[in-house]
Amino acid sequence: MKKLFTLILVVFSYVSAFSQGHYNGSSFNPGDYFAPHAGFIIPVWYGFADMNYYNAEGKQSDRLINPAPGNPTTLDIKQNVKTHSFILMAIYGGKGKILGANWGMMAIPMLNSPTANIALDYYSSQTGDGSYVFKNKTVGFGDMYVQPVWLSWTKEKFSYAFNYGFWAPTGKFKPHGLDNGGLGYWSHNIRGAVRYKPNKKVGLTAATTFEINQWQKDIDFKEGSHLTIDLGATYLLDTRGDEVGLFANHATQISDDKGTNGGFASDRIYGIGGFGSYWITPKKIGLMARVTQNFGAKNRFAGTAIQAGVNILIPTGH
């Protein structure tokens, strides 16, 4: 049975030198780590996110403190980011097998419209204590995600997946730019996932994503690597393929930032949420919606994200 493919990648274009990597936990719904059925899938998403900054103590803060030794600079800001994102995805489920696995590929360009009240390029722009308020609203392309390796195997009640994808810095970026739409560097995501289905209706999923970042364009800064653990559960409502589910995640920075513009404070975040999918025309056109709430964040932005979308399935046959 073909399921409604409910993948969504939530990207927040709100930082430059003070970035947090590209991948956000629970960007995939629990079943979407596994290669789709043969055919083309075209999901179209709208997403809204309301984010605030949380300091090293896990408290919402309007103060950034550069933790680099010998630099006691502080900056008071009003840190809130509201982001509107429009995401058109191109997904292909391949015919046949590769290494005995079902396979697929995907590409995800994004159009972002962030409304921010935030300080950008804090590390490289400030030389003393101060208070600064920056308000900005802009529209532009964000960084693009491409996943050329998407393999999954099924044996009895278990399924296994291996994915590799990269983030290309296609969004506008320049040092100290106030309207940057991207992070200005490449990121590589290596992911493994497992799913257990005790029966035809219930699925339990766990996945681990390791993100490696490259040097930022024209800035002496390299974001540290992150490790993200995603958990999820799904329930099939009927034979049409309508589905609901829950998910949770934990992401933490596992290596220091590098460069003169980098800091030594690692970040972390937790998140929980739920999703639902409904076929308007079974196996052809469906609706999708999801909500994510972050908590336990340190040294990074966190908040609430809501997405809704339409899913179009074009099977190629067997």
Side-chain angles (χ1 to χ4, degrees):
M1 177 181 295
K2 293 179 179 178
K3 67 183 181 68
L4 181 59
F5 197 84
T6 51
L7 175 93
I8 176 66
L9 285 174
V10 187
V11 174
F12 310 114
S13 298
Y14 42 63
V15 288
S16 177
F18 196 74
S19 63
Q20 301 159 176
H22 280 99
Y23 179 71
N24 290 277
S26 297
S27 292
F28 294 85
N29 282 339
D32 297 334
Y33 303 104
F34 307 90
H37 293 274
F40 292 94
I41 305 170
I42 305 174
V44 181
W45 282 93
Y46 162 75
F48 171 76
D50 188 352
M51 299 282 134
N52 291 289
Y53 182 76
Y54 292 81
N55 61 22
E57 297 178 351
K59 298 179 180 179
Q60 184 175 329
S61 174
D62 290 338
R63 169 164 290 188
L64 277 177
I65 300 177
N66 188 348
N71 186 351
T73 300
T74 63
L75 178 67
D76 291 321
I77 60 175
K78 179 64 176 178
Q79 300 180 99
N80 177 260
V81 180
K82 292 181 174 64
T83 302
H84 301 270
S85 297
F86 300 90
I87 306 172
L88 173 64
M89 302 170 59
I91 298 170
Y92 177 70
K95 297 180 179 180
K97 303 283 186 179
I98 295 179
L99 300 176
N102 295 325
W103 63 280
M105 296 181 290
M106 76 169 77
I108 310 174
M110 299 184 206
L111 182 67
N112 292 322
S113 177
T115 301
N117 202 17
I118 184 176
L120 295 181
D121 293 328
Y122 161 63
Y123 292 123
S124 56
S125 300
Q126 297 294 320
T127 57
D129 293 350
S131 179
Y132 177 71
V133 176
F134 154 66
K135 293 183 179 180
N136 180 52
K137 184 173 183 178
T138 184
V139 177
F141 285 102
D143 292 343
M144 181 175 182
Y145 181 72
V146 179
Q147 187 168 289
V149 179
W150 193 0
L151 304 173
S152 60
W153 300 261
T154 299
K155 184 176 182 181
E156 298 178 350
K157 295 183 177 182
F158 287 89
S159 296
Y160 309 90
F162 174 78
N163 308 330
Y164 164 73
F166 60 87
W167 294 85
T170 53
K172 180 181 179 180
F173 177 85
K174 64 178 180 179
H176 321 307
L178 299 183
D179 58 348
N180 288 335
L183 298 183
Y185 58 80
W186 295 78
S187 295
H188 303 271
N189 291 176
I190 302 170
R191 181 180 300 108
V194 59
R195 177 175 60 193
Y196 172 64
K197 297 195 71 172
N199 55 56
K200 292 183 178 181
K201 289 183 175 292
V202 176
L204 303 174
T205 301
T208 300
T209 301
F210 178 51
E211 181 169 79
I212 304 171
N213 303 301
Q214 295 184 211
W215 288 91
Q216 197 166 40
K217 179 182 178 181
D218 299 328
I219 293 181
D220 187 19
F221 173 78
K222 182 179 180 182
E223 173 74 15
S225 298
H226 288 78
L227 181 67
T228 304
I229 299 174
D230 291 297
L231 302 174
T234 60
Y235 183 78
L236 191 65
L237 295 172
D238 48 46
T239 57
R240 290 163 38 91
D242 303 328
E243 190 177 51
V244 295
L246 300 173
F247 49 78
N249 69 83
H250 169 55
T252 185
Q253 185 174 336
I254 58 175
S255 68
D256 289 336
D257 301 336
K258 295 182 179 179
T260 57
N261 291 311
F264 297 92
S266 59
D267 58 79
R268 76 169 197 195
I269 193 170
Y270 295 86
I272 57 174
F275 76 94
S277 62
Y278 173 77
W279 287 103
I280 299 174
T281 303
K283 315 304 181 285
K284 291 184 179 180
I285 301 176
L287 298 177
M288 310 167 287
R290 72 196 313 265
V291 60
T292 305
Q293 178 63 53
N294 299 130
F295 63 97
K298 290 187 176 182
N299 291 317
R300 65 179 295 154
F301 286 83
T304 304
I306 301 172
Q307 298 87 33
V310 176
N311 200 62
I312 302 171
L313 176 63
I314 307 173
T316 57
H318 299 280

